[in-house]
Amino acid sequence: MGTDFLRDLRYALRSFAQQPFFTAVVVLTLGLGIGSNVAIFSVANAVLFRPLPYPDSEELALIWTRLPATDVDRTMVSGPDLGDYQNEATSFDGFAGAMAMAGAVTGDGPAEQIMAAYATWNLFEVLDVTPMIGRRFQADDAFPVDPASFGSPDAELPPGKVILSHGLWQRRFGGDPSVLGRTIQMDGWGSEVVGVLPRDFRIYLPADAAMPTDIDAWGILPSNITDFARDAPWLTVVARMADGVSLEQAQQEMDGLAARLREVHPFHANQNLQITVQGMHRDVVRHARPALLALFGSVAFVLLIACANIANLLVVRASGRSREIAVRAALGGGHGRIVRQMLTESLVLATGGALLGVALAWYGIRLITRLSPGNLPRMEAVGIDGTVLAFTAGVTLLAAVAFGLAPALRAVRGNLADALKDRGSASGGMRGNKLRTGLAVTEVALSLVLLVGAGLMLRSFAEIQRVEPGFDAENVITFSAPLQFVKYFSSASRAQFVNDLGARLEAIPGVERVGGVAPLPLTGGEAYSVGSYGRPGDPEDAYRANRADFKAVLPGYFEAMRIEVVAGRALLPSDNQPEALTVAVIDRKLADRLFGEEDPVGREMILDHFSEETFSLEQRSVQVVGVVANVRSSSLAADGRETVYTPYIFNSWLPMSFTLRTTVAPATLMDRVRREISAMDPDVPVSDVAPLQTYVEAARAETRFMLTLTGAFALIALVLASLGLYGVISYAT
């Protein structure tokens, strides 16, 4: 058997060497089909199929709060609710909570903005991640926090604990192991370094967790977060299920816990609070799954078209070899032996196509990585590994059988006696014509499916291109300047800093208008800035049912962004003062919902306000002084929630993104901007410098990514189908 295979292999190689043009066409066709499949499988393997890089990651789950009465499908978890989960749920080995915010590291060099996360002490225990050097957090690292102590300049706070990312350790501290035990300044608070995470550690969470993958430093949350407001969700919760507990069993227990919480707490009863348990891996990739599966379907079509095309060519080739096959049969070669010879030839072609396909896939992966939108998780893990090579081998074998079997069987089913008498039909007979025509029709049908898909994607992209975000991004540059948390703890100090900085920046030649907002549209962050609103006298359940995005702005923001003021006035510098927490601007969508046909300007409304004195939510009365046009803040594809704009002092916990409308090239102004900020406080870094148009383009990136790839595959399919159709017509002619 082995000798026969080697003999068949040598014959196939000699045969194809004598037909270089035919061989090149087939190998190139297969290379395109297999290469596109390998490239997309590499992405799907890293994103969808490969487990998260944590030990026993299938046991990890994310816990979300669902508020049906407010039409909130899922949101974060409050501190007291997390405490109840930890104390009452038995289906889990542990719950951990975390939140992220931009911060700054000072000392040991220039001030540097970092992305910091603060977590309960057991987060790395739940994830089962061990630092590369040092240790994890311990329970006694956390201590209770009195909000008043932060606001006191004479407070003697114990040092916090911090675990550094490998990247921050390398670039800030030169990879020096002696950093362990050193106290660094993070957000103005002395924090002792207790560990450094492994080089490849990343936190993978869904986009609505408002926590990026690359965190620079991990601090520890206060031990008394259960004393915070129960109606203020702000924690992303990761849990590890106990051994032998399924996701369904865990969900059943949390359903029971939610029912008990509704019986005890009025907020939960009014909201009809539900608790949702989601497998962590599935939750992380849920938004990417439909797009990647659609691309997988597209490349499968490309491979099917390639196989149909090659099958057609091989049918034609087999018809030309009818005399040879008849001689083989006359000399004692059975049908099985002849079919095996032809399948060996198909395998040789498929192997050549696979080698070319892997090479094309390697370049394709690099291109896909560059084109991929920022919200596609785990793209850094995409590559050609053992799993991808095994997939390539499987696809190659299937392709060889798919395009080789039909021509092989067709070759041995004809009238071999006629072939010996030189009376074989040059066209392969009626049955051969039907086979070739059927394959050609299949090619055209599959290519049309891809072309229709590409056309729909083009239409979607054109629609998104026409969407007006509600602001003018041209000639606007944005940057952030995060203030140290402890140094600028009070809202008044943060508001004073941004007021003074705004005035200094507006005096720079070439700056037309200065504004600022937290969070910036189309950058995420809304998860931390959602609150309730209503009119005085509204019942509590009706008040809580109204949810809006809260935007804290520096006066001048509407002018800098050219957001239309449709009624009343914009916010003024005098509104951003401690004694002026009484005004707000709302968008047209909220005005229509809350006030209907009434003129909202001058009306009173109630808003959620986070009190820095009590670390809890309160309801504050404000006067509506203006109405502005709707802005698409979270996505260009959806209108989003109603929006309330308050002076920055009203809700100043999120770092502000400054917006400068300029009359000159924005890049020429940034050196002067940095000097002005350094003159005010050298410990305030400047980062995230980017044209506002960059964020608008990023919001279109996912649709552009799908359009580019689907269009490329549709074009390949069209070329292959055209070649196949040309081959059939030319042969019939």
Side-chain angles (χ1 to χ4, degrees):
M1 184 70 176
T3 304
D4 288 343
F5 174 74
L6 291 176
R7 188 180 299 116
D8 291 343
L9 183 61
R10 286 194 296 269
Y11 179 82
L13 292 173
R14 287 198 306 270
S15 174
F16 292 134
Q18 293 170 1
Q19 296 178 299
F21 181 75
F22 171 86
T23 304
V25 169
V26 172
V27 170
L28 178 59
T29 300
L30 270 176
L32 291 171
I34 293 177
S36 57
N37 276 267
V38 172
I40 296 301
F41 177 80
S42 300
V43 177
N45 179 53
V47 176
L48 300 182
F49 307 142
R50 189 181 299 169
L52 292 175
Y54 313 117
D56 300 318
S57 62
E58 70 280 357
E59 297 176 356
L60 293 173
L62 297 177
I63 313 298
W64 299 96
T65 298
R66 183 169 175 264
L67 306 174
T70 319
D71 198 27
V72 175
D73 184 56
R74 66 186 209 169
T75 187
M76 298 178 187
V77 177
S78 68
D81 282 355
L82 175 58
D84 289 337
Y85 301 168
Q86 293 170 327
N87 294 330
E88 298 188 36
T90 61
S91 298
F92 299 85
D93 283 339
F95 294 87
M99 57 88 67
M101 62 186 298
V105 173
T106 55
D108 296 308
E112 177 183 353
Q113 176 171 321
I114 62 171
M115 181 54 68
Y118 293 87
T120 53
W121 70 268
N122 64 334
L123 174 67
F124 297 110
E125 182 178 278
V126 169
L127 293 175
D128 197 10
V129 171
T130 301
M132 185 183 72
I133 60 172
R135 62 170 176 86
R136 299 171 179 167
F137 292 133
Q138 299 170 352
D140 57 3
D141 289 334
F143 54 87
V145 167
D146 176 8
S149 64
F150 282 106
S152 171
D154 302 320
E156 295 184 1
L157 296 172
K161 299 293 190 290
V162 63
I163 296 177
L164 305 179
S165 71
H166 187 276
L168 181 63
W169 178 54
Q170 288 290 329
R171 69 175 183 267
R172 186 84 187 180
F173 304 101
D176 184 0
S178 67
V179 73
L180 294 179
R182 188 189 306 179
T183 298
I184 66 172
Q185 294 296 313
M186 190 168 77
D187 289 333
W189 185 9
S191 300
E192 180 188 346
V193 179
V194 298
V196 176
L197 291 167
R199 180 191 301 271
D200 58 353
F201 174 79
R202 286 169 178 69
I203 186 71
Y204 293 104
L205 295 169
D208 50 357
M211 185 176 294
T213 297
D214 295 308
I215 298 293
D216 295 303
W218 294 84
I220 193 166
L221 287 170
S223 60
N224 62 330
I225 59 173
T226 54
D227 297 335
F228 291 15
R230 188 173 288 274
D231 57 358
W234 56 286
L235 291 168
T236 297
V237 173
V238 181
R240 183 174 288 275
M241 295 181 291
D243 290 341
V245 174
S246 68
L247 203 62
E248 292 74 19
Q249 291 171 324
Q251 182 64 68
Q252 288 177 0
E253 183 182 24
M254 298 307 281
D255 288 342
L257 178 55
R260 293 196 296 275
L261 292 176
R262 291 194 299 269
E263 292 175 356
V264 176
H265 304 292
F267 171 77
H268 292 5
N270 290 336
Q271 293 294 308
N272 189 26
L273 176 137
Q274 313 286 329
I275 302 172
T276 303
V277 183
Q278 297 282 353
M280 187 172 179
H281 181 230
R282 187 173 184 85
D283 207 5
V284 168
V285 303
R286 69 187 182 101
H287 77 281
R289 184 181 299 273
L292 288 179
L293 291 180
L295 288 175
F296 221 162
S298 298
V299 294
F301 277 16
V302 171
L303 184 58
L304 287 174
I305 293 169
C307 289
N309 200 342
I310 296 168
N312 244 333
L313 292 174
L314 291 180
V315 167
V316 173
R317 185 170 181 265
S319 299
R321 298 171 63 191
S322 58
R323 186 174 180 82
E324 172 202 335
I325 294 169
V327 170
R328 285 175 173 268
L331 293 176
H335 287 184
R337 182 70 180 82
I338 295 172
V339 168
R340 193 172 68 210
Q341 166 66 45
M342 299 190 72
L343 286 178
T344 301
E345 296 174 6
S346 299
L347 185 60
V348 169
L349 292 173
T351 302
L355 293 175
L356 177 60
V358 170
L360 293 175
W362 187 79
Y363 286 102
I365 289 170
R366 298 175 66 184
L367 179 61
I368 290 171
T369 302
R370 286 198 296 268
L371 291 174
S372 63
N375 62 351
L376 200 58
R378 306 187 68 186
M379 287 300 292
E380 74 282 350
V382 175
I384 296 177
D385 56 14
T387 302
V388 174
L389 292 177
F391 170 81
T392 305
V395 167
T396 301
L397 185 60
L398 288 175
V401 173
F403 67 72
L405 188 59
L409 293 176
R410 174 72 192 92
V412 298
R413 290 175 63 186
N415 190 332
L416 299 181
D418 283 348
L420 285 174
K421 298 173 184 177
D422 231 357
R423 295 203 320 247
S425 169
S427 65
M430 183 63 71
R431 184 175 296 164
N433 286 335
K434 287 183 177 180
L435 177 59
R436 291 192 298 274
T437 303
L439 290 171
V441 169
T442 300
E443 291 182 63
V444 173
L446 292 175
S447 63
L448 283 176
V449 171
L450 282 182
L451 287 170
V452 169
L456 292 174
M457 287 301 306
L458 180 60
R459 180 178 177 181
S460 298
F461 185 69
E463 291 293 331
I464 287 184
Q465 288 287 102
R466 285 195 290 267
V467 167
E468 292 294 336
F471 55 84
D472 180 7
E474 292 295 329
N475 299 318
V476 175
I477 193 167
T478 71
F479 66 90
S480 59
L483 304 177
Q484 296 181 33
F485 181 75
V486 175
K487 187 175 182 180
Y488 297 92
F489 175 79
S490 69
S491 296
S493 63
R494 289 193 294 276
Q496 189 61 51
F497 183 92
V498 299
N499 282 344
D500 293 346
L501 178 57
R504 295 177 73 128
L505 296 180
E506 202 148 283
I508 297 176
V511 174
E512 181 179 328
R513 202 62 198 261
V514 176
V517 64
L520 190 68
L522 302 178
T523 60
E526 282 79 9
Y528 291 133
S529 59
V530 177
S532 295
Y533 66 91
R535 301 183 70 168
D538 282 350
E540 181 68 16
D541 56 347
Y543 173 78
R544 290 297 172 193
N546 296 329
R547 304 287 284 178
D549 289 334
F550 280 36
K551 300 276 190 181
V553 303
L554 175 66
Y557 172 69
F558 301 115
E559 295 85 350
M561 299 283 281
R562 292 183 179 169
I563 298 173
E564 181 187 3
V565 178
V566 298
R569 65 170 175 85
L571 294 173
L572 304 174
S574 58
D575 294 326
N576 200 32
Q577 301 295 333
E579 64 275 8
L581 293 177
T582 56
V583 297
V585 170
I586 61 178
D587 70 353
R588 186 156 28 195
K589 188 174 182 181
L590 190 149
D592 292 342
R593 176 171 179 179
L594 191 62
F595 297 102
E597 298 297 325
E598 300 178 41
D599 182 2
V601 178
R603 299 284 182 177
E604 186 180 2
M605 64 183 297
I606 309 297
L607 298 177
D608 279 348
H609 177 252
F610 188 79
S611 169
E612 60 193 37
E613 287 79 20
T614 63
F615 265 44
S616 62
L617 282 179
E618 62 183 13
Q619 295 180 16
R620 182 177 285 271
S621 175
V622 299
Q623 184 184 55
V624 178
V625 297
V627 179
V628 297
N630 300 331
V631 172
R632 293 178 182 250
S633 289
S634 59
S635 168
L636 291 178
D639 290 337
R641 278 186 291 258
E642 297 85 359
T643 304
V644 177
Y645 298 92
T646 62
Y648 183 63
I649 194 171
F650 190 92
N651 187 20
S652 60
W653 293 100
L654 292 178
M656 172 169 285
S657 294
F658 289 87
T659 55
L660 274 63
R661 179 165 292 280
T662 69
T663 57
V664 298
T668 63
L669 301 174
M670 288 313 301
D671 285 343
R672 175 71 182 274
V673 168
R674 289 185 174 91
R675 290 198 300 271
E676 294 292 344
I677 294 174
S678 181
M680 292 182 63
D681 187 341
D683 288 337
V684 176
V686 177
S687 60
D688 299 330
V689 179
L692 184 59
Q693 190 65 37
T694 301
Y695 298 109
V696 177
E697 292 304 315
R700 300 178 176 130
E702 187 169 349
T703 305
R704 185 188 301 111
F705 174 73
M706 288 293 296
L707 172 63
T708 302
L709 293 186
T710 304
F713 297 142
L715 182 60
I716 292 172
L718 180 62
V719 171
L720 294 179
S722 299
L723 289 174
L725 189 61
Y726 171 78
V728 170
I729 295 174
S730 63
Y731 188 82
T733 302

